[in-house]
Amino acid sequence: MDEFAIIAKYFTPLAGESAFGLKDDSAIVPARAGHDLVVTTDTIAQGTDFFPADPPDTIAQKVLRVNLSDLAAKGAVPAHYLLNLTLPRTVTQDWLAAFADGLARDQKEFGVSLLGGDTGTGELSISVTAFGFVPQGKMVKRGGAKIGDAVYVTGTIGDSGGGLAILKGEKHALPDADRDYLTNRYRVPQPPVGFAQQLRAIAHASVDVSDGLMADLGHIAAVSHVGLVVEGERVPLSAPVEALWGAQALIRAVTVGDDYQAAFTAPPGLNGPFTRIGQVVAGEGVSLTVNGREVGIPLTGYQHF
Ligand code: ADP
Ligand code: MG
């Protein structure tokens, strides 16, 4: 199958209205009056973000969702995406069909459509560029945290890192259901897309948690010129992560990456689909306490180099 046959068979059915059936050189992102277009891009590579034998529909979901989580953390509602694919020459029709099916399901779930992309050959690598909208001037930035704010996070932290550890062969005695829960979180992130509009209404600063909770909160601290204190006993951990890592669960969970949740600062005392995990103070950097005592953690989050 040549490149154009692949595009016509598997990707044209996913194309949005302004993609011209994936038969033109460029597409159009229809402007929305009174809105800013928010853009983000992420690549996933085999061995780092997924394993070659992972189910292809989950690989598709992951590359889309790691982008949707960036938009969600900015308070943006997703609309479209571009897909750049480098495929091994040995790729099968079954693989492509399952990959496209994963995209189709997520397009429905998140209300996005495909605008175009590029296809070439080489070691499997996949990039998505996603587009979303916020009312003009309302994107939630990393800067803006205020002293006295509370720090909140959506979802649970460390699940995906636990799944990766298991897939890499870390020994464990978990029941199958717990193991599957964690490996599914690694393969298919659960970004807080439906929370974006509420986040926009309450957050002073926000970041996508992708390189580790402590590391990503460090970006808010640096850009906002404040200090952040994370109260470890408040960090939401799932039962499978607690079972996997025991006494080490907190330290590992806040330093592994791949969570694709939103961490944000907002006035204290708020309730919603998120957990209060700490506060914004005068100073710099992020510290972790357990029952009021500071705990040392490895310095950095996930870094490629
Ligand atoms: P170019 O020659 O400019 O690289 P192509 O011939 O590669 O353009 O692409 C033809 C059309 O197919 C374009 O509309 C492009 O956006 C679309 N396309 C190519 N690869 C993909 C892909 N992986 N996913 C979605 N659309 C794609
Ligand atoms: Mg091309």
Side-chain angles (χ1 to χ4, degrees):
M1 248 194 154
D2 71 23
E3 176 189 337
F4 297 110
I6 288 176
I7 294 165
K9 178 162 183 190
Y10 297 107
F11 299 121
T12 298
L14 303 173
E17 250 172 54
S18 57
F20 310 115
L22 303 184
K23 287 196 180 101
D24 215 314
D25 299 295
S26 298
I28 287 174
V29 180
R32 277 188 205 170
H35 286 73
D36 287 326
L37 178 65
V38 181
V39 303
T40 186
T41 190
D42 259 310
T43 300
I44 63 171
Q46 77 183 40
T48 307
D49 305 288
F50 67 92
F51 294 90
D54 281 345
D57 57 333
T58 68
I59 297 173
Q61 290 176 298
K62 182 158 192 176
V63 73
L64 189 55
R65 288 171 182 224
V66 300
N67 282 278
L68 298 185
S69 84
D70 277 313
L71 294 180
K74 301 296 98 183
V77 172
H80 312 283
Y81 67 103
L82 297 169
L83 175 66
N84 287 6
L85 276 177
T86 306
L87 299 169
R89 286 178 194 283
T90 54
V91 70
T92 64
Q93 301 258 0
D94 282 351
W95 193 96
L96 286 166
F99 182 84
D101 182 58
L103 291 176
R105 294 201 315 264
D106 270 9
Q107 287 195 188
K108 255 201 184 144
E109 178 163 353
F110 298 113
V112 296
S113 67
L114 181 59
L115 279 191
D118 194 35
T119 305
T121 53
E123 184 167 292
L124 181 61
S125 168
I126 311 164
S127 298
V128 160
T129 300
F131 304 85
F133 290 96
V134 292
Q136 214 158 36
K138 298 294 187 201
M139 188 181 97
V140 186
K141 306 200 184 74
R142 291 177 174 185
K146 295 182 174 56
I147 294 166
D149 276 357
V151 181
Y152 300 94
V153 71
T154 60
T156 50
I157 294 300
D159 294 339
S160 175
L164 175 60
I166 290 169
L167 291 168
K168 279 177 150 174
E170 188 167 312
K171 288 227 161 41
H172 68 86
L174 294 183
D176 288 357
D178 283 2
R179 179 202 59 200
D180 292 348
Y181 168 85
L182 295 173
T183 55
N184 285 338
R185 286 300 154 117
Y186 170 75
R187 290 190 176 125
V188 184
Q190 306 288 325
V193 175
F195 177 60
Q197 300 182 56
Q198 195 186 342
L199 177 105
R200 198 164 72 212
I202 59 177
H204 294 155
S206 175
V207 69
D208 175 40
V209 184
S210 56
D211 295 331
L213 179 65
M214 295 299 285
D216 288 317
L217 286 176
H219 299 311
I220 288 186
V223 183
S224 297
H225 306 289
V226 293
L228 267 53
V229 179
V230 174
E231 297 160 25
E233 64 279 9
R234 295 181 181 275
V235 173
L237 304 180
S238 68
V241 149
E242 303 244 32
L244 176 68
W245 283 331
Q248 289 298 309
L250 173 65
I251 299 291
R252 291 196 64 174
V254 300
T255 51
V256 291
D258 254 358
D259 293 301
Y260 303 110
Q261 295 296 328
F264 59 98
T265 82
L270 301 178
N271 289 302
F274 46 76
T275 307
R276 179 167 86 77
I277 58 167
Q279 51 210 336
V280 179
V281 296
E284 57 181 33
V286 188
S287 58
L288 178 67
T289 63
V290 174
N291 300 323
R293 294 175 62 172
E294 187 160 351
V295 183
I297 52 156
L299 272 178
T300 53
Y302 186 81
Q303 294 197 339
H304 287 281
F305 298 101

